[in-house]
Amino acid sequence: MSVRRPNRTLIRVVVIAVSLATVGLIGLAGLDYWRVGRISHSCQTHAKWQRDAALVLSGAPALRRTRVAVRAWRGGHLPRIFISGAGSGGDNAEGLARQASAELGVPARVFTTERRATSTADNLAFSCPLLRKAGATHVALVTDRWHMARAMASANALCPPVKFCALPADSALTPHHHRQETLALLVYQLTGNAAWFF
């Protein structure tokens, strides 16, 4: 009884395919590491920039992100502020809107809240219908600088045809944030929750 030898050509093809995929993933991870903390598509390209609205992603204490959107609203750069996130305690979208109204003197009518999101992908997926319904086609995306790459990539993947620009809250890019965001961005890209090129 003869034993069939494995098809060497097939084995070579599989090895080459796996090798190319591995190299591709390593390259994408390296590119993502480089992207984290860098701001592309900034809203503030000139002093009189305008957008239809700001979208604030919850997840920062002491109104850090919300204050960035409020400054843009006060500066006449945008008329409305959307806040997204279920959060916890005062960091949920409704809590942030109430706190901003009380502490910063912003009329409640300026805010629209999305209350279900528990992740960056959710923020964009759940907020996009609200933005479209409001007719907001050009939106300033507000989050921490270290989180902006993943947020922008998710916005491009999950919220077309809305066009986003980056309006970051200044926050330190720690080595922990850098590693965490690089991995999270790569996972988001592989699961279809973030654009590979943005």
Side-chain angles (χ1 to χ4, degrees):
M1 182 176 176
S2 63
V3 178
R4 292 185 64 186
R5 294 183 177 179
N7 185 321
R8 290 183 180 178
T9 302
L10 179 60
I11 291 173
R12 285 194 191 108
V13 169
V14 170
V15 168
I16 291 169
V18 169
S19 299
L20 289 174
T22 302
V23 169
L25 282 175
I26 291 170
L28 182 60
L31 181 59
D32 287 344
Y33 185 85
W34 178 83
R35 285 172 169 154
V36 171
R38 296 178 186 272
I39 301 301
S40 60
H41 307 293
S42 173
C43 297
Q44 300 167 304
T45 52
H46 54 81
K48 295 183 179 180
W49 65 273
Q50 284 292 134
R51 291 297 180 271
D52 301 321
L55 173 61
V56 180
L57 308 188
S58 69
L63 293 175
R64 185 173 69 235
R65 297 175 183 175
T66 308
R67 287 177 193 276
V68 173
V70 169
R71 279 196 298 272
W73 172 77
R74 287 197 194 286
H77 300 293
L78 46 92
R80 301 184 66 178
I81 298 173
F82 291 74
I83 305 178
S84 172
S88 60
D91 193 36
N92 60 65
E94 285 188 339
L96 290 169
R98 279 196 304 271
Q99 189 179 357
S101 291
E103 295 182 16
L104 306 178
V106 182
R109 60 181 160 70
V110 170
F111 296 104
T112 300
T113 58
E114 180 288 306
R115 304 180 298 256
R116 296 182 297 154
T118 58
S119 69
T120 303
D122 285 353
N123 287 140
L124 277 304
F126 296 158
S127 296
C128 199
L130 300 176
L131 294 169
R132 288 193 194 113
K133 185 177 179 181
T137 59
H138 293 79
V139 175
L141 185 59
V142 182
T143 189
D144 288 305
R145 179 174 291 273
W146 52 263
H147 182 230
M148 188 61 79
R150 181 159 55 108
M152 285 292 286
S154 292
N156 287 334
L158 302 175
C159 197
V162 179
K163 303 292 184 189
F164 289 88
C165 63
L167 190 60
D170 278 326
S171 49
L173 176 61
T174 66
H176 169 73
H177 282 141
H178 210 148
R179 289 190 301 270
Q180 175 184 298
E181 280 301 308
T182 298
L183 178 59
L185 177 53
L186 182 62
V187 169
Y188 265 45
Q189 288 167 323
L190 295 176
T191 56
N193 286 315
W196 288 43
F197 304 101
F198 54 96

